[in-house]
Amino acid sequence: MELDITDVISPDDRAALFLGLHSYNQQFIESDASGSLGVWLRNEAGGLDGGLMGTLKGNWLCIDFLWVTDARRRNGTGRALIAAAERQARRRGCEYVLVDTFSFQARPFYEKNGYLLKMTLDNFPHAGQQRYYLTKTL
C-alpha cells in the first residue's frame, strides 16, 4: 500500500472522497434526508452582508457556517438568518440543529437563541481556547 500525502486537496479528490462516503452512508440514512441549505443577506449592491450555510443529515440541520458583517451585528440579522434556516429545516423534516463555535465567536448568541451546550473541547484550536458544540430541538 502506498499513501499519497499532500497539503493540497484537489477538487476531483474531494469529490471522489465525498461520493464514496455518501454512497456508504446511504445504507443508513434516507436518501431524501440530506442536502444543503443556504440563507443569504445581500446588500443593495448585491454583495453579501451575512449568510448561513448548512447541511441536512437525516433529521438534523448541521449549521456549517454563519457570518454577519460587523455593520450588521447586534441588530437582529444573525437571529433572522438562523430563524429562517430553522424554519426551512423544519419544512424539510428536521427535528434538531447542531452547531459548533469557538470561544472567541458566538456561544452566547446561540444560547440566546435556544441552543444548549452539549460538549466542549478545551485547547482547540489553540491553548486557552475552546470549541463548543450546541444543539437545539426544533
Side-chain angles (χ1 to χ4, degrees):
M1 175 185 341
E2 186 174 326
L3 300 177
D4 179 14
I5 300 173
T6 181
D7 292 337
V8 179
I9 299 172
S10 75
D12 288 343
D13 287 342
R14 175 185 287 273
L17 186 131
F18 284 147
L19 179 62
L21 182 60
H22 181 75
S23 296
Y24 175 80
N25 289 349
Q26 289 311 299
Q27 302 171 70
F28 309 100
I29 301 173
E30 297 174 25
S31 61
D32 62 344
S34 63
S36 299
L37 175 63
V39 181
W40 312 115
L41 173 64
R42 299 198 185 277
N43 57 39
E44 292 174 4
L48 204 59
D49 276 356
L52 180 150
M53 291 189 333
T55 307
L56 284 73
K57 297 178 182 178
N59 60 352
W60 283 80
L61 166 62
C62 300
I63 297 174
D64 300 318
F65 304 99
L66 173 62
W67 170 78
V68 176
T69 62
D70 288 340
R72 292 281 197 158
R73 290 193 179 143
R74 293 174 188 52
N75 69 0
T77 301
R79 184 174 55 248
L81 289 166
I82 205 165
E86 290 171 356
R87 283 191 304 274
Q88 185 61 32
R90 270 194 228 79
R91 284 187 205 112
R92 293 189 185 181
C94 292
E95 300 174 44
Y96 309 97
V97 185
L98 169 68
V99 67
D100 67 277
T101 189
F102 296 111
S103 52
F104 53 86
Q105 289 179 323
R107 178 181 168 189
F109 164 78
Y110 289 111
E111 290 175 328
K112 285 179 193 173
N113 284 279
Y115 287 74
L116 301 174
L117 179 66
K118 294 294 183 172
M119 187 176 84
T120 301
L121 290 178
D122 291 324
N123 300 310
F124 190 94
H126 298 288
Q129 297 174 335
Q130 295 80 33
R131 186 172 188 174
Y132 303 115
Y133 291 85
L134 301 100
T135 65
K136 181 177 181 178
T137 301
L138 296 176

